[in-house]
Amino acid sequence: MECNTILKQLSEAVRDYDNDRARRFAEKAVEQGIDPVVALEEGLAKALRDVGDLFGQGEAFITELIAAAQAMEAGAEILNKEIARRGASRKSVGRFLIGTVKGDIHSIGKNIVATMLQAAGFEIFDLGVDVPTEIFVEKVKELSPDILGLSALMTTTMAMQREVIAALRDAGVRQEVKVVVGGAPVTAKWAAEIGADACGYDADHAVDVALRLMGEVRDDAPD
Ligand code: B12
């Protein structure tokens, strides 16, 4: 089956809230050697964002958003495993602590970023979603990560990224960890404004940014 057909089927599975089809075509993508990141982004995530846009315009219900997200997660589970498998032999490049900020339960993008970083050789500590600011600070002290990644998907929860950075400063540990912020509404301007070290636009970019912060550059990184 052609790559484009599989990507189309993955998108349709999300639009039709069809978990089984999402799983089946994710497996097909793996069997056919399609890049799992392409299958995630151009197949599943693209359709999920379309459903999100409809929701934003009042043209889809929250139940439909939930069902579409579940189909995406069903397919993503298989593709994330393939991403991890492909990167399994890399050497360890650093410790990466990641979580979605307080008040925000969006996990799909964070999970993809964590998987891609793991495949690139990072040791990942995932705190999950809706993580209170004080837990981020506590875990930075306890785990001494090289990088802290803060995910926020809503304009209303982006402010928590600023709060976490301020709390790290107050606790005297801001200099001990690099902070990368991400999530759909996050921009480089916002990252600079809140005193983050960098921002990542998608999982691939997050890997480049994280490696750069560790003083490493990926072989296939763009200039
Ligand atoms: C799926 C989804 C949900 C699912 C989440 C399921 C899950 N397990 O994650 C459910 C249905 C639960 C949900 C709930 C809600 N949602 Co919602 N949701 C979405 C949707 C459609 C897609 C998000 C997604 O998964 N995208 C796919 C992934 C792959 O992309 P991504 O998340 O952007 O991640 C990539 C990058 O951003 C980046 N990245 C992400 N995190 C990080 C972190 C780091 C460190 C780095 C470097 C990079 C990085 O890399 C990722 C991979 O490429 C978005 C629409 C959109 N356009 O984003 C709305 C959206 C974010 N949701 C929205 C809303 C309003 C809500 C609700 C409040 C709805 C409600 N009335 O209850 C609740 C919020 C609950 C809460 N407290 O958090 C709004 C937010 C509006 C705003 N204020 O900004 C959006 C924009 C929809 C809309 N157009 O209105 N949602």
Side-chain angles (χ1 to χ4, degrees):
M1 195 180 276
E2 227 193 302
C3 173
N4 279 342
T5 314
I6 293 180
L7 297 183
K8 229 167 116 196
Q9 288 289 343
L10 286 169
S11 291
E12 276 173 24
V14 171
R15 280 192 208 105
D16 293 344
Y17 326 124
D18 189 336
N19 300 6
D20 286 344
R21 201 172 354 139
R23 257 185 234 112
R24 210 166 56 242
F25 281 92
E27 273 158 10
K28 270 217 163 71
V30 172
E31 276 163 25
Q32 309 241 339
I34 294 171
D35 184 339
V37 179
V38 171
L40 270 171
E41 278 295 332
E42 289 169 32
L44 298 171
K46 191 163 155 262
L48 184 60
R49 291 192 185 109
D50 289 346
V51 178
D53 288 345
L54 290 176
F55 174 74
Q57 293 153 15
E59 284 168 29
F61 295 110
I62 182 71
T63 44
E64 294 173 303
L65 194 58
I66 293 170
Q70 281 167 350
M72 158 108 202
E73 283 181 286
E77 204 187 317
I78 290 157
L79 296 169
N80 276 335
K81 276 197 195 125
E82 175 65 5
I83 293 172
R85 192 192 66 77
R86 287 187 176 204
S89 60
R90 304 268 173 88
K91 67 181 164 70
S92 170
V93 288
R95 293 158 74 81
F96 200 108
L97 178 66
I98 191 165
T100 302
V101 297
K102 179 141 189 65
D104 199 322
I105 60 161
H106 293 88
S107 63
I108 296 172
K110 167 189 69 63
N111 292 348
I112 295 175
V113 169
T115 306
M116 291 271 293
L117 287 167
Q118 193 169 25
F122 281 91
E123 197 180 345
I124 300 293
F125 302 91
D126 188 345
L127 299 177
V129 298
D130 192 18
V131 180
T133 297
E134 54 277 18
I135 298 294
F136 280 117
V137 175
E138 201 182 299
K139 291 292 172 184
V140 164
K141 287 183 183 163
E142 183 190 320
L143 300 167
S144 303
D146 299 291
I147 307 176
L148 169 64
L150 300 171
S151 183
L153 258 289
M154 300 190 287
T155 47
T156 43
T157 53
M158 277 165 76
M160 298 310 292
Q161 295 178 329
R162 187 204 294 271
E163 192 184 285
V164 173
I165 292 171
L168 290 171
R169 215 178 286 128
D170 290 347
V173 290
R174 176 66 188 91
Q175 297 308 319
E176 289 168 26
V177 65
K178 303 279 187 207
V179 179
V180 184
V181 289
V186 172
T187 60
K189 185 165 172 275
W190 169 251
E193 189 185 318
I194 64 173
D197 294 286
C199 86
Y201 294 114
D202 57 32
D204 206 39
H205 186 224
V207 170
D208 284 339
V209 165
L211 289 176
R212 286 218 174 97
L213 287 174
M214 296 303 297
E216 302 212 14
V217 177
R218 196 158 60 162
D219 300 344
D220 60 350
D223 293 329

